[in-house]
Amino acid sequence: MSQKLHWVAWGTLIVFPALGALLLYLFGKPVIEVMFRSQINVVLQIGIGGFIGTLLGLGGRWIITRPVILPSLEKYGGIVKSMRLKPHHVYFLSFCAGFGEELFFRGAMQALTGIWIAAVFFVAIHGYLNPRNWRISIYGIYMTLAIALLGYLTEIWGIFTACAAHMAIDVVLFNFLIRFADKKIAYEHSESYEYTEQIE
């Protein structure tokens, strides 16, 4: 993993929560009370979030291996391969993104805009709702529903549920894309079904 990516990860973990706190402050909201709006045990939140996130990650993996989306998968597999990630890098990046981004989007932004606006905005800025790429937008619709679910989990269980779920989703998908890239299997549209069976 490059040093630049390392610092981007740390920046996500530190800067996003700080921006979330600033956003709440500017709108006159009590930062701690809003961002950490739950009395439920943190360990329980993390356990629930990790379980649900793993299921959502497996669902995302299923979506991106459908023949209709496979042509877009090679691009993202190449991006992940270029990162040269080892197993501990996957967990580090997933932790930073999961906790950093969720404290901003679910912890702060959602409290101001509502669950669905925050979810759509989150998925859109990640490039998965792209009118010029309908294939990846199918995945984007799935992720919008998944992220909205994290929003409801935040309201019901607490922010750490969403953080752990986000981390679990990323771990599942990172590991899949690494395996996908490492296999370097060339595929044709006529062979998509056979290829899908090989990588699932």
Side-chain angles (χ1 to χ4, degrees):
M1 185 175 72
S2 69
Q3 191 70 13
K4 179 180 179 180
L5 186 58
H6 179 87
W7 287 113
V8 168
W10 274 111
T12 300
L13 182 61
I14 296 171
V15 174
F16 270 73
L19 288 176
L22 177 62
L23 185 65
L24 290 173
Y25 175 79
L26 291 176
F27 278 85
K29 303 287 186 180
V31 175
I32 301 300
E33 290 86 342
V34 172
M35 190 172 284
F36 302 99
R37 52 189 181 277
S38 175
Q39 300 298 317
I40 296 176
N41 183 278
V42 172
V43 175
L44 181 60
Q45 290 187 51
I46 292 173
I48 293 170
F51 176 73
I52 294 175
T54 299
L55 295 180
L56 292 173
L58 292 173
R61 190 184 76 171
W62 186 87
I63 292 286
I64 61 178
T65 55
R66 295 311 89 199
V68 71
I69 301 181
L70 273 174
S72 296
L73 183 57
E74 189 174 50
K75 170 187 173 183
Y76 290 95
I79 292 172
V80 171
K81 181 177 177 61
S82 69
M83 295 179 181
R84 304 187 302 277
L85 300 178
K86 296 180 180 179
H88 65 279
H89 294 147
V90 169
Y91 286 95
F92 172 69
L93 291 175
S94 300
F95 171 79
C96 291
F99 282 76
E101 291 182 356
E102 290 306 313
L103 284 170
F104 176 80
F105 288 100
R106 250 54 59 193
M109 183 178 177
Q110 177 174 298
L112 301 172
T113 66
I115 290 172
W116 286 96
I117 291 177
V120 170
F121 182 73
F122 175 86
V123 176
I125 66 170
H126 281 75
Y128 299 134
L129 292 175
N130 186 347
R132 294 177 295 180
N133 187 340
W134 63 270
R135 296 178 189 275
I136 201 63
S137 292
I138 294 174
Y139 174 69
I141 292 171
Y142 169 80
M143 286 308 300
T144 300
L145 296 174
I147 295 302
L149 176 58
L150 300 196
Y152 287 107
L153 290 176
T154 298
E155 299 303 323
I156 297 170
W157 291 94
I159 186 62
F160 293 108
T161 314
C163 293
H166 186 150
M167 178 179 174
I169 292 170
D170 284 1
V171 167
V172 170
L173 294 177
F174 263 130
N175 282 326
F176 168 72
L177 289 171
I178 291 170
R179 185 161 60 90
F180 172 88
D182 286 344
K183 285 192 173 183
K184 299 180 181 179
I185 301 174
Y187 64 90
E188 300 293 339
H189 291 294
S190 62
E191 299 172 338
S192 292
Y193 287 99
E194 177 184 353
Y195 181 65
T196 300
E197 292 176 359
Q198 291 176 334
I199 63 177
E200 285 188 320

